[in-house]
């Protein structure tokens, strides 16, 4: 294991201050029906006041298990040994009542998915006052007033009104801000943030990171940041600890670990991260559209694979005017071309993809696939047209039938479209596709829950391509994957696209991934196209303010470059008169200096 001496950057911990959170020789073992699982293997590290320590590693490395020990939230089959201290208090000797006093007051948690952390049947205000009253900080009207102050502190507009609303009435970014407000409500010594920005757009992610940075600088709160996003690590961390299968394999300052990594695993992780603007140096490069068209024997007509013209999509609302999700959108995807569709949540990206698949009707405009107007053809012709289209959804666990073996899931399009009626022929085709996505043929006999997230996504790709489609619609296919798994899936997609020559509408909010794959890029905002063109023009020479805002918010996994990008982003927002005032709000509401 490579261990380096930490010298934190920025607002470093004051010399002589003791750690607010420390793990010493921590071991965690789980008793299962298959034997004992040693999940965390004797790790030791500290978090000091005003310091951000990033705990990174792939799924299953033990990151979240380590964090849960600091809150006493592991299940009953867990056996913990070693010393865990919050401030000067050892958690090992505390009973349930003692742990409840520590939670919230001394150590707080920001979970990855705010909708699972918030109670859907209680208002935001009630959930905030609950923690204040439980720890004896404020009661009644004082607690309600403090709840509103906390919402204002984390940058939520109209906090008085929002306090009366329920979680489902807020956007994803606003819900994450509420969770952060709950975490800081008792001014804890340390905040554990478990993947706090994974499901957020780049602009909302940048705002949440600005908020966390302001809070830790102003309140001197230590933060244990758990993430697999190296751009977030470069943007936030003072020190980095890298975990692999329960072991700490490398620790050091953010510059040491991200710029001069020692361990091979760390170098492999960093090598898997797509870097905005580094396509020319990447090993994975998209195939040229003309070359791909030549590979496909039957695709020589010159007709676009997908042609949307003046597309309008509306959702009907009871007693209210319809909500227009997509407004006058026109775009084309040519033969063997990858078009990246980018924008924030709610911009209409996935809605357009579903409409292109015929799953959502268009209020007006036209959807032409291979020259056929989807809105004007009959059901039989539509079914035949869908045979030429493949789809990869964002969440493979939700798109695969949990009661069907993987082989049956992959073969399902063959059954639906009555291709290869012989069971033997179908099995041979399934094995061919499993080979293509680099999965062992024995995977056909397993069920989806027995596979990892990356393996399930490969199964989804195999199913999407089994009919040799001419158009693939991929909706955020890599957003929830580890960086190394994401890199392998992207390499796989690129290789298969080069081999089979299909056109692809690639929906994503990760600009680095789009920069790596796409030939052309379409930028959406509020259901309308704000910019479109060649990938190198839109992502490297943007003309529109909104595109520049998206690009400025995208983090890169190099600390010095990311610091420059963050400063440039703040300067850009200041020019627009939108400079973040989070730090001022925090200082104004908090009683600390």
């Amino acid at each position: 294991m490579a261990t380096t001496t930490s010298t934190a950057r920025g607002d470093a911990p004051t010399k002589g201050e003791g750690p607010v959170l420390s793990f010493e020789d921590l071991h965690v073992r789980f008793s299962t029906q298959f034997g004992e699982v040693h999940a965390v293997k004797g790790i030791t590290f500290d978090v000091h006041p005003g310091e951000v320590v990033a705990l990174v590693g792939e799924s299953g490395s033990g990151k979240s298990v380590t964090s849960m020990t600091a809150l006493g939230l592991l299940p009953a089959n867990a056996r913990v040994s070693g010393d865990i201290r919050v401030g000067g208090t050892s958690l090992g000797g505390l009973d349930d009542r003692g742990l409840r006093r520590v939670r919230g007051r001394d150590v707080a948690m920001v979970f990855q998915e705010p909708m699972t952390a918030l109670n859907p049947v209680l208002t935001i205000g009630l959930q905030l006052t609950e923690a204040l009253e439980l720890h004896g900080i404020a009661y009644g009207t004082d607690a309600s007033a403090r709840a509103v102050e906390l919402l204002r502190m984390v940058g939520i507009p109209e906090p008085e009104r929002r306090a009366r609303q329920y979680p489902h009435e807020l956007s994803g970014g606003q819900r994450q801000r509420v969770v952060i407000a709950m975490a800081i409500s008792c001014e804890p010594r340390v905040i554990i943030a478990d993947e706090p920005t994974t499901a957020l757009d780049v602009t909302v992610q940048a705002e949440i990171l600005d908020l966390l940075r302001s809070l830790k600088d102003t309140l001197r709160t230590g933060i244990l940041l758990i993430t697999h996003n190296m751009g977030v690590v470069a943007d936030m961390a003072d020190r980095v600890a890298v975990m692999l299968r329960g072991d700490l394999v490398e620790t050091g300052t953010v510059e040491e670990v991200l710029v001069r990594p020692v361990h091979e695993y760390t170098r492999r992780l960093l090598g898997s991260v797509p870097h905005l603007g580094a396509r020319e140096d990447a090993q994975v490069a998209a195939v040229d559209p003309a070359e791909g068209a030549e590979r496909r024997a039957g695709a020589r007509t010159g007709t676009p694979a997908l042609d949307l013209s003046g597309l309008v999509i509306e959702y009907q609302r009871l007693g209210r005017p319809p909500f227009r999700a997509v407004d006058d959108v026109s775009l084309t995807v040519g033969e063997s071309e990858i078009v990246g569709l980018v924008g924030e949540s709610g911009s209409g990206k996935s809605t357009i993809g579903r409409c292109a698949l015929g799953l959502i009707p268009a209020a007006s405009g036209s959807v032409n696939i291979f020259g056929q107007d989807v809105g004007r053809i009959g059901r039989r012709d539509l079914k035949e047209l869908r045979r030429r289209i493949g789809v990869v959804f964002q969440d493979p666990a939700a798109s695969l039938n949990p009661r069907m073996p993987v082989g049956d899931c992959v073969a399902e399009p063959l059954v639906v479209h009555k291709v290869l009626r012989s069971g033997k022929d179908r099995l041979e085709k399934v094995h061919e596709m499993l080979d293509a996505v680099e999965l062992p043929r024995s995977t056909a006999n397993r069920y989806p829950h027995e596979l990892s997230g990356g393996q399930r996504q490969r199964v989804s790709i195999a199913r999407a391509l089994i009919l040799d489609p001419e158009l693939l619609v991929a909706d955020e296919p890599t957003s929830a994957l580890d960086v190394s798994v994401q890199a392998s899936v992207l390499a796989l997609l690129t290789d298969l696209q080069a081999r089979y020559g299909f056109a692809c509408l690639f929906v994503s909010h990760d600009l680095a991934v789009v920069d790596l794959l796409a030939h052309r890029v379409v930028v959406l905002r509020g259901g309308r196209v704000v910019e479109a063109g060649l990938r190198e023009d839109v992502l490297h020479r943007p003309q529109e303010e909104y595109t520049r805002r998206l690009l400025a918010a995208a983090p890169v996994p190099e600390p010095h470059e990311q610091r420059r990008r963050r400063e440039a982003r703040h300067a850009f927002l200041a020019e627009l008169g939108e400079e973040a005032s989070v730090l001022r709000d925090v200082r104004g509401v908090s009683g600390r200096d």
Side-chain angles (χ1 to χ4, degrees), residues 8-64:
R9 62 178 168 83
D11 289 321
T14 304
K15 189 175 181 179
E17 284 185 295
V20 291
L21 176 64
S22 63
F23 301 93
E24 184 175 350
D25 194 29
L26 176 67
H27 290 264
V28 181
R29 297 173 173 86
F30 292 95
S31 300
T32 72
Q33 60 179 330
F34 303 107
E36 186 176 79
V37 176
H38 199 174
V40 179
K41 304 172 182 177
I43 69 172
T44 298
F45 69 92
D46 300 324
V47 181
H48 290 82
E51 179 186 41
V52 178
V53 175
L55 193 59
V56 303
E58 296 174 293
S59 297
S61 61
K63 307 187 303 295
S64 295

Side-chain angles (χ1 to χ4, degrees), residues 105-129:
R105 187 82 188 197
D106 294 316
V107 57
M109 188 88 175
V110 177
F111 292 96
Q112 177 176 355
E113 178 46 65
M115 275 304 283
T116 60
L118 296 172
N119 191 326
V121 299
L122 295 180
T123 64
I124 298 301
L126 282 175
Q127 296 186 61
L128 283 166
T129 57

Side-chain angles (χ1 to χ4, degrees), residues 372 376-388:
Q372 299 186 63
R376 297 188 177 184
I377 61 177
R379 293 181 61 182
R380 179 176 297 179
D381 291 335
L382 181 59
K383 181 179 179 180
E384 183 62 29
L385 186 62
R386 282 176 174 165
R387 177 177 170 176
R388 304 168 68 184

Side-chain angles (χ1 to χ4, degrees), residues 178-321:
V178 170
V179 171
I180 293 173
M182 294 175 67
I184 66 172
S185 60
C186 302
E187 298 192 357
R189 297 170 180 265
V190 60
I191 293 174
I192 299 172
D194 189 357
E195 301 278 11
T197 63
T198 294
L200 302 179
D201 299 316
V202 288
T203 50
V204 179
Q205 172 179 272
E207 292 169 3
I208 294 297
L209 295 180
D210 282 341
L211 171 61
L212 287 172
R213 190 180 301 106
S214 298
L215 291 171
K216 71 101 175 177
D217 289 342
T218 306
L219 305 180
R220 301 295 293 162
T221 302
I223 296 178
L224 177 59
L225 176 66
I226 298 169
T227 184
H228 64 256
N229 188 326
M230 293 301 181
V232 171
V233 173
D235 197 22
M236 280 291 295
D238 299 303
R239 288 190 296 122
V240 182
V242 184
M243 290 193 73
L244 171 64
R245 293 192 291 271
D247 281 317
L248 273 184
V249 297
E250 185 162 0
T251 61
T253 66
V254 65
E255 287 87 359
E256 289 168 340
V257 175
L258 296 192
V259 180
R260 298 179 298 276
V262 176
H263 197 276
E264 175 60 30
Y265 176 69
T266 310
R267 291 198 292 268
R268 190 166 68 247
L269 273 183
L270 292 170
S272 301
V273 180
H275 192 305
L276 189 65
R279 175 170 177 173
E280 289 73 16
D281 299 325
Q283 293 181 351
V284 180
V287 66
D288 183 90
E291 295 177 5
E294 291 175 2
R295 290 188 179 94
R296 175 174 292 280
R300 297 195 179 97
T301 63
T303 302
L306 175 65
D307 184 11
L308 308 180
S309 179
L311 184 65
V312 175
I313 303 174
E314 295 180 337
Y315 291 101
Q316 301 301 318
R317 298 184 293 183
L318 186 62
R320 291 188 292 172

Side-chain angles (χ1 to χ4, degrees), residues 386-404:
R386 282 176 174 165
R387 177 177 170 176
R388 304 168 68 184
I389 306 170
V391 57
V392 181
F393 293 102
Q394 179 174 357
D395 184 0
S399 62
L400 298 174
N401 191 327
R403 298 185 177 184
M404 291 171 58

Side-chain angles (χ1 to χ4, degrees), residues 12 96 133 139:
D96 289 343
E133 293 178 348
Y139 298 93

